[in-house]
Amino acid sequence: MLNRTVVITVLILILTGYSAPAQTIDTAEQLLSQAQYQQGIRTLKKIMTDKAGPKKDKADAGIRLARFFSDQAGDVQRAIRYYKKTLSSGWLNGDAARKKKVKTRLDQLMALESEHRDLNRTVRQMKSVTNQRESLDADARKKSLKLNLQQLDQILKTRPDYYRIHDLYFTIGLTRLALDQPFQAWKSFNSALDAKPAMDLYQPVSKLKQRSQTAWQTSFSHMTAWSVLGLAIMVLI
């Protein structure tokens, strides 16, 4: 049987009209600001799907999700989907000024995707080369990676305003890691996270950053040990 105290407590809560704390935009904002990205996203999604919730709250949640994916995660396509959802759901009907702002931002993101379609495809292709192991022999793969790295560095120099600069840094990191350049790879992964701190949601940046750091620290330790050994031998001789 249930504990008598528990039963009485439940009855009191029911009679006093108690309800669980509502999910709010402020709650989500706090979670996102604390880098608790998954929890923040879930909170915003709950607001969007709450059938009894006000349309304004749903619109706020949809817009905030779009901004998050665009500005912090660097996932522009997902941001576009949330802006489209917010507009198509009718949550902004009656608020013409805000609806216009959302439509303007949506058009801007779609224009960026269209304008950089060829460059985006090029970066994706170079990223895929880092995962090719069976299709190329070792020398051919290394040559391909070096050529890609030259092109990636050139893009970085000539297109500093590229809207997917975080993905460019990530691809450079992958390429340098594949070329056994862990320290340079670590710096590139750092730059990617500096640009879009939440891109870990869809790219394993932090994991690869840690892997790179471990690799170059281990290499440095070995080099130091051999240098000390070499000096010791010279002294003894």
Side-chain angles (χ1 to χ4, degrees), residues 142-182:
K142 189 173 183 179
K143 182 179 180 180
S144 179
L145 289 168
K146 285 184 174 180
L147 289 173
N148 283 353
L149 186 58
Q150 290 177 3
Q151 189 174 353
L152 288 164
D153 285 338
Q154 184 63 22
I155 295 170
L156 190 60
K157 291 176 183 176
T158 59
R159 301 293 297 273
D161 59 338
Y162 179 40
Y163 80 111
R164 291 185 61 85
I165 195 77
H166 57 289
D167 197 43
L168 188 61
Y169 278 121
F170 179 64
T171 306
I172 291 173
L174 287 174
T175 307
R176 289 194 177 279
L177 196 59
L179 286 168
D180 197 24
Q181 300 174 3

Side-chain angles (χ1 to χ4, degrees), residues 72-221:
Q72 292 176 264
D75 189 341
V76 173
Q77 292 184 354
R78 199 178 298 266
I80 286 173
R81 289 201 292 272
Y82 278 112
Y83 277 131
K84 285 183 175 181
K85 173 68 175 176
T86 302
L87 289 170
S88 65
S89 297
W91 298 331
L92 292 173
N93 290 347
D95 192 343
R98 199 174 187 206
K99 190 173 185 179
K100 183 179 179 181
K101 287 182 180 179
V102 171
K103 181 66 166 60
T104 298
R105 183 56 180 155
L106 172 61
D107 290 343
Q108 289 172 342
L109 292 181
M110 292 180 69
L112 283 173
E113 288 280 278
S114 177
E115 177 187 350
H116 297 90
R117 183 174 290 113
D118 290 342
L119 180 54
N120 291 344
R121 185 184 303 113
T122 297
V123 174
R124 282 197 303 270
Q125 289 171 347
M126 287 190 284
K127 187 187 299 182
S128 69
V129 173
T130 64
N131 296 317
Q132 291 177 355
R133 290 181 173 83
E134 303 299 330
S135 58
L136 296 173
D137 63 55
D139 290 339
R141 181 171 182 266
K142 189 173 183 179
K143 182 179 180 180
S144 179
L145 289 168
K146 285 184 174 180
L147 289 173
N148 283 353
L149 186 58
Q150 290 177 3
Q151 189 174 353
L152 288 164
D153 285 338
Q154 184 63 22
I155 295 170
L156 190 60
K157 291 176 183 176
T158 59
R159 301 293 297 273
D161 59 338
Y162 179 40
Y163 80 111
R164 291 185 61 85
I165 195 77
H166 57 289
D167 197 43
L168 188 61
Y169 278 121
F170 179 64
T171 306
I172 291 173
L174 287 174
T175 307
R176 289 194 177 279
L177 196 59
L179 286 168
D180 197 24
Q181 300 174 3
F183 180 68
Q184 293 91 335
W186 174 76
K187 291 198 295 183
S188 294
F189 292 136
N190 259 335
S191 296
L193 288 171
D194 285 343
K196 301 293 179 184
M199 68 178 295
D200 260 333
L201 288 171
Y202 66 99
Q203 303 266 33
V205 195
S206 293
K207 181 179 179 180
L208 290 171
K209 173 187 167 184
Q210 183 60 50
R211 176 180 158 192
S212 302
Q213 182 175 352
T214 300
W216 72 256
Q217 286 178 339
T218 301
S219 177
F220 180 77
S221 297

Side-chain angles (χ1 to χ4, degrees), residues 39-58:
Q39 298 94 316
I41 291 170
R42 282 197 295 269
T43 299
L44 291 169
K45 285 182 175 181
K46 284 180 181 179
I47 295 171
M48 286 182 67
T49 56
D50 182 2
K51 294 181 180 180
K55 288 184 177 181
K56 180 183 180 304
D57 289 355
K58 294 173 185 284

